[in-house]
Amino acid sequence: MLMTTTTRNVSISSWLADGLAAQVAAFFRGRDARTFSLVGGAVVLWASWPTLATVAYPAPPFLVLGLAALVGFALSFCLMAVRGRARSFWSVSPATLIFVAFGLMGNNAFYLAAISRIGPAEANVVHYLWPIFLVILSAFVVRRAPTPVQVVGIACGFSGVAVALSPQMGAGFDAVGVLLGISGALTFAVYSVGRSLAKVETNVVGPSLGLAGAGALAVHVLTEPVYALSATQWGAIALMGLGPFTLANILWDRATRQGAAATISSLAFLTPLVALSLLVVFGLSTLTLQLVVGAVLTIAGAVLGTRR
């Protein structure tokens, strides 16, 4: 009897192991694997933005933003031209072009300015309040109060920022830096609401990067001091334009057309943790318990805030 039971348990274990192996193999052969790879690539590229911005520091924010945006604009146009769609690249309406350009420029400029005052990791956590602001703005637009779950998410998001910034509380607290980070998050939330309401499906980011880059460089000339970039800073700026500004959006667009929205969104919420990890790996920030807890709370708030 004991041998029979043991044999049966071994058979069940083998059956479960074989089933799990078959599911894993099917995942890596199927569409889920491609979607996971596309979203993973987009998340890593977006998460590289704080690291690249920190490497480019202390270059003036609008100089960095302007040059990176122009690199992204050039790459976007080349990719469209290779696909034989150069003419459609210029078909974006002026109103949409201006709105997207201001959204991209304002969001990133505020973030770059916040880095110099409160640190890259802290600014990264504050910036990811944008899903929370998006929930609040969306509720205002449709004139519907947030659900209890969303209210909990909003509370988690702001609690996460408070925890992440807690080591700076007191005499060293930089309220201006925090406000700059919040302004960047709010700008991106407003931009996201506007893009959602417009329902424009054509490539508007690529053309808008050109206008955003030109506008940022104009602001740099008028308000910022002349600055000579080093070779390392030039490299970081070029990678910003290639990765977070352009390729990340291309990968994200393909993923949204191939995979399940729930899976894609859940993976995207990992961006602040990945960004924090990259900063620590490259020695640009110190990992603290407050930062980790703050980032986790902010992510939890974003996840809960987007649930109906």
Side-chain angles (χ1 to χ4, degrees), residues 17-230:
D18 291 342
L20 179 61
Q23 289 182 356
V24 172
F27 172 85
F28 283 103
R29 287 196 305 267
R31 189 176 63 178
D32 289 340
R34 291 192 297 272
T35 302
F36 182 85
S37 300
L38 290 170
V39 177
V43 167
V44 171
L45 290 173
W46 276 328
S48 68
W49 163 247
T51 296
L52 294 172
T54 306
V55 173
Y57 181 79
F62 283 102
L63 175 62
V64 173
L65 176 60
L67 294 174
L70 290 181
V71 170
F73 167 77
L75 177 60
S76 298
F77 176 74
C78 290
L79 292 175
M80 291 289 284
V82 168
R83 297 167 60 188
R85 300 176 60 185
R87 181 175 298 180
S88 65
F89 187 80
W90 307 105
S91 63
V92 181
S93 69
T96 300
L97 196 69
I98 293 172
F99 177 77
V100 175
F102 272 101
L104 295 175
M105 185 171 67
N107 163 47
N108 292 300
F110 280 126
Y111 178 77
L112 287 173
I115 283 179
S116 63
R117 303 188 68 102
I118 60 176
E122 291 78 4
N124 177 62
V125 174
V126 174
H127 179 72
Y128 273 90
L129 280 174
W130 72 261
I132 305 300
F133 287 130
L134 182 59
V135 171
I136 297 173
L137 290 173
S138 298
F140 177 78
V141 169
V142 300
R143 298 182 180 180
R144 181 175 59 194
T147 66
V149 173
Q150 290 176 325
V151 171
V152 173
I154 293 170
C156 281
F158 284 103
S159 298
V161 170
V163 171
L165 296 175
S166 59
Q168 300 184 15
M169 296 296 183
F173 182 71
D174 191 332
V176 174
V178 176
L179 286 175
L180 287 169
I182 291 175
S183 298
L186 184 58
T187 300
F188 192 72
V190 172
Y191 161 74
S192 299
V193 170
R195 289 281 289 118
S196 176
L197 293 175
K199 300 184 183 301
V200 178
E201 297 182 0
T202 57
N203 178 15
V204 298
V205 174
S208 299
L209 284 175
L211 182 59
L217 290 181
V219 174
H220 163 67
V221 171
L222 294 174
T223 64
E224 294 177 337
V226 177
Y227 187 90
L229 295 168
S230 67

Side-chain angles (χ1 to χ4, degrees), residues 3 16 25 36 48 91 103 116 119 125-126 232 246 248 252 261 265 277 295 307:
M3 183 176 296
L16 291 174
F36 182 85
S48 68
S91 63
S116 63
V125 174
V126 174
T232 301
T246 307
W252 180 260
S265 299
S277 301
R307 293 181 64 89

